[in-house]
Amino acid sequence: MLAWWLLLVPAWAHAAQHLVVQALPAADMGRNTPSPDADWAPVTLPHAAPGTTWYRVFFEIESRKADSWAIYLPYLYGGGSLWLNGVPLSAVRSSDAEMTVRWERPFLFTIPDALLRSGRNELLILASTSAITPQARLGELQVGSSVALLETYERRRFWVHTMPQFTVLSCFVVGVLVLFIWWRRREELLYGLFGLASIFWGFRTLTFVVEVLPSGMWPGWRVLYYTATGGFIIVLLIFALRLAGTVYPRVERALLLYWLLGPIGYAVSGGSETLLGKVWQGGTIPLGIGILVACTIAAIRQRTWQLTALTIAIALAVGAGVHDYLLATTSIPQRLAPAWFGQRFFLLHYGADLVLMVMGTILSTRFVNALYAVEQMNGALESRVQEREQALRANYVQMHKLERQHAVDEERQRIMRELHDGLGSQLFVALSRVEAREIEYEGVAQTLRDCIADMRLALEVMSPAGNDFMAAWGSFRFRWDRQLQQAGIQTRWNVDYEGDTLNLSAEDGMQLLRIGQEALTNVLKHARATQVDIELQCIDANVNFVVSDDGTSFDAGGSTMGRGLANMRARAHRLAGELHIDAADPGTRITLRFPLAAPAQP
């Protein structure tokens, strides 16, 4: 519709230069149905009168340059009927028991050629009223070429009827979207206020779009109208105060209370349009002026474009509200400036649209600035994260070096401990006995063989190549099997474990073989046994190691195995296991049980 109107305006303007249009500023007014003896009173258009009113207008036709003629009425709020030269011309629906009307649109009535007379023509208009339109109003008529009048008709129709349709659609769409943003970000109250203001103004603007309703729905429709009107004004005022940084909870509660007085007053008064239209809506003007003063002061102090723009928009809206209030409640402005006020253009609609546009621009700017701030924060955060990553990487490298050094130190300490406890101890004892001349050649040779065996045990178990405990166990078994059989002791070896191999760490393997070495040494030197059984089992993640012989039983608290027993218990403790030494008849049974540790993760 808008594009069509804009395209045709230049063509109409050019054609209108050659077409006839008559303005009819005067009419006769009557109360009763027209008759030859009816009383008519001359009036000047536009005109308003209480109750249903008849108007009579005369116009002259000297020559017709247009193909068709029409009559243009800028408004006919309550509907009515038209007669031309005594013949019904057209009718606009009026309010009745079933339907209530309030026409906001203009009207253009095409005149059939048969009804026009050369010379003087008489036009009768019945202007109806209703509860919502208690006064009959008739604007300045125009008669002439239908092509020329169509331009005037479409222009007014766009501003008073089509433009509100765009406003309603925009307010509902924008309001729902902004309320969704506020629902997800409850702390952003300004978004919620703007969304409510948009929804309220969308409902309020529907009064320019919905012109006919069932009479039973009309009271509820007016309650919605006053609710939306007051809601928009009050929410706008709270928005302005919040944006200015002046939060007064008592003032906001008072504004909300005043808002509720409108719908409640309408219901209590039985639908009094005068009470609501003059008293309640008039009271919103001082409120708007007060908020305008507060915003002006805040704009001067803070000097931000947001407050400045909102202050200007509110000033224009307050001015438009005063204009509409005077236009709707008194005839003084029409007498002072009939050319303008007689057109009955209500301006608050456009002033409110301007305020909503400014509010939306402010919030959009805040939203964009917030996104920009988030981008800057993300950039700074990324930079800091990169710095932290570099620092962590450097710390990791340093920590890895320290861990490797620590592992090397631990390995060195372990090797030193094993050498000290095993090889070193044997060498020290051998040296002491040699110096005391308590050992002969065979004793020295045996001691050296034991030292070599001990060193081999340590090298095989602690070797990093493959970390294969079963290979070390095989070497251990080979050496001790030969030694025991040379001493006349028969051996039985039993190994039972699940899987392909028995995975023991180098540390655990060393402790296990040391305990086995100590137990077999005692069998070889002290037990006087003829048979020894060695069992190694791994069942349900538990390792069982048993050495039993048929020799002489011993006292665990005696001196024969005192130091050796202490060493075995200490090693069992390192394995988080238990060591039991049981004296039998005959022989001794040594049992070691410890949990199989999980393999280290790479």
Side-chain angles (χ1 to χ4, degrees), residues 391-412:
L392 288 175
R393 192 177 296 111
N395 291 339
Y396 176 77
V397 173
Q398 183 67 23
M399 185 181 299
H400 185 63
K401 291 180 179 179
L402 294 176
E403 288 179 350
R404 291 180 59 187
Q405 184 64 38
H406 180 67
V408 170
D409 292 341
E410 284 190 342
E411 190 68 18
R412 183 182 293 112

Coordinates of all heavy atoms in Angstrom, one line a residue, residues 391-412:
A391 N 53.8 -20.1 29.9 CA 54.4 -20.3 31.3 C 54.2 -21.7 31.8 O 55.2 -22.3 32.3 CB 53.7 -19.3 32.3
L392 N 53.0 -22.3 31.5 CA 52.8 -23.7 31.9 C 53.7 -24.6 31.1 O 54.2 -25.6 31.7 CB 51.3 -24.1 31.7 CG 50.3 -23.4 32.7 CD1 48.9 -23.8 32.3 CD2 50.6 -23.9 34.1
R393 N 53.9 -24.3 29.9 CA 54.8 -25.2 29.0 C 56.2 -25.1 29.6 O 56.9 -26.2 29.7 CB 54.7 -24.7 27.6 CG 55.4 -25.7 26.6 CD 55.2 -25.2 25.2 NE 53.8 -25.2 24.8 CZ 53.1 -24.1 24.5 NH1 53.7 -22.9 24.7 NH2 51.9 -24.1 24.2
A394 N 56.7 -23.9 29.9 CA 58.0 -23.8 30.5 C 58.1 -24.5 31.8 O 59.1 -25.2 32.1 CB 58.4 -22.3 30.6
N395 N 57.0 -24.3 32.6 CA 57.0 -25.0 33.9 C 57.0 -26.5 33.8 O 57.6 -27.3 34.5 CB 55.8 -24.6 34.7 CG 55.9 -23.1 35.2 OD1 57.0 -22.6 35.3 ND2 54.8 -22.5 35.5
Y396 N 56.2 -27.0 32.7 CA 56.2 -28.4 32.5 C 57.5 -29.0 32.1 O 57.9 -30.0 32.6 CB 55.2 -28.7 31.4 CG 55.1 -30.1 31.0 CD1 54.4 -31.1 31.8 CD2 55.7 -30.6 29.8 CE1 54.4 -32.4 31.4 CE2 55.7 -31.9 29.4 CZ 55.0 -32.8 30.2 OH 55.0 -34.2 29.9
V397 N 58.2 -28.2 31.2 CA 59.6 -28.6 30.8 C 60.5 -28.7 32.0 O 61.2 -29.7 32.2 CB 60.1 -27.7 29.7 CG1 61.6 -28.0 29.4 CG2 59.3 -27.8 28.5
Q398 N 60.4 -27.6 32.9 CA 61.2 -27.6 34.1 C 60.9 -28.7 35.0 O 61.7 -29.4 35.6 CB 61.1 -26.2 34.8 CG 62.0 -26.1 36.0 CD 63.4 -26.0 35.6 OE1 63.8 -25.7 34.5 NE2 64.3 -26.3 36.5
M399 N 59.5 -29.0 35.2 CA 59.1 -30.0 36.0 C 59.5 -31.4 35.5 O 59.9 -32.3 36.3 CB 57.6 -30.0 36.2 CG 57.0 -31.0 37.2 SD 55.2 -30.9 37.3 CE 55.0 -29.2 37.8
H400 N 59.4 -31.5 34.2 CA 59.9 -32.8 33.6 C 61.4 -33.1 33.9 O 61.8 -34.2 34.2 CB 59.6 -32.8 32.1 CG 59.9 -34.1 31.4 ND1 59.2 -35.3 31.7 CD2 60.8 -34.4 30.5 CE1 59.7 -36.2 30.9 NE2 60.7 -35.8 30.2
K401 N 62.1 -32.0 33.7 CA 63.6 -32.1 34.1 C 63.8 -32.5 35.5 O 64.6 -33.4 35.8 CB 64.3 -30.8 33.8 CG 64.4 -30.5 32.3 CD 65.1 -29.2 32.1 CE 65.2 -28.8 30.6 NZ 65.9 -27.5 30.4
L402 N 63.0 -31.8 36.4 CA 63.1 -32.1 37.8 C 62.7 -33.6 38.1 O 63.3 -34.3 39.0 CB 62.3 -31.2 38.7 CG 62.8 -29.7 38.6 CD1 61.8 -28.8 39.4 CD2 64.2 -29.6 39.2
E403 N 61.6 -34.0 37.4 CA 61.1 -35.4 37.7 C 62.2 -36.4 37.2 O 62.4 -37.4 37.8 CB 59.8 -35.6 36.9 CG 58.6 -34.9 37.6 CD 57.3 -35.1 36.8 OE1 57.4 -35.7 35.7 OE2 56.3 -34.8 37.3
R404 N 62.8 -36.1 36.0 CA 63.8 -37.0 35.5 C 65.0 -37.0 36.5 O 65.5 -38.1 36.8 CB 64.3 -36.6 34.2 CG 63.2 -36.8 33.1 CD 63.7 -36.3 31.7 NE 64.9 -37.0 31.4 CZ 65.7 -36.7 30.3 NH1 65.3 -35.7 29.5 NH2 66.7 -37.4 30.0
Q405 N 65.4 -35.8 37.0 CA 66.5 -35.8 37.9 C 66.1 -36.5 39.2 O 66.9 -37.2 39.8 CB 66.8 -34.3 38.2 CG 68.0 -34.1 39.1 CD 69.3 -34.6 38.5 OE1 69.5 -34.5 37.3 NE2 70.2 -35.2 39.3
H406 N 64.8 -36.3 39.6 CA 64.4 -37.0 40.9 C 64.4 -38.5 40.7 O 64.8 -39.3 41.6 CB 63.0 -36.5 41.2 CG 62.4 -37.2 42.5 ND1 63.0 -36.9 43.7 CD2 61.4 -38.0 42.7 CE1 62.3 -37.6 44.6 NE2 61.3 -38.3 44.0
A407 N 63.9 -38.9 39.5 CA 63.9 -40.4 39.2 C 65.4 -40.9 39.2 O 65.6 -42.0 39.7 CB 63.3 -40.7 37.8
V408 N 66.3 -40.2 38.6 CA 67.7 -40.6 38.6 C 68.2 -40.7 40.0 O 68.9 -41.6 40.4 CB 68.5 -39.6 37.7 CG1 70.0 -39.9 37.9 CG2 68.1 -39.7 36.2
D409 N 67.9 -39.7 40.8 CA 68.3 -39.7 42.2 C 67.8 -40.8 43.0 O 68.5 -41.5 43.8 CB 67.9 -38.4 42.9 CG 68.7 -37.2 42.3 OD1 69.8 -37.4 41.7 OD2 68.2 -36.0 42.5
E410 N 66.5 -41.1 42.8 CA 65.9 -42.2 43.4 C 66.5 -43.6 43.0 O 66.8 -44.5 43.8 CB 64.4 -42.3 43.2 CG 63.6 -41.3 44.0 CD 62.1 -41.5 43.8 OE1 61.7 -42.2 42.9 OE2 61.3 -41.0 44.7
E411 N 66.7 -43.7 41.7 CA 67.4 -44.9 41.2 C 68.8 -45.0 41.7 O 69.2 -46.1 42.1 CB 67.4 -44.8 39.6 CG 67.8 -46.1 39.0 CD 66.8 -47.2 39.2 OE1 65.6 -46.9 39.5 OE2 67.2 -48.4 39.0
R412 N 69.5 -43.9 41.8 CA 70.8 -44.0 42.4 C 70.8 -44.4 43.9 O 71.6 -45.2 44.3 CB 71.5 -42.6 42.2 CG 72.9 -42.6 42.7 CD 73.5 -41.2 42.6 NE 73.7 -40.8 41.2 CZ 73.0 -39.8 40.6 NH1 72.1 -39.2 41.3 NH2 73.1 -39.5 39.4

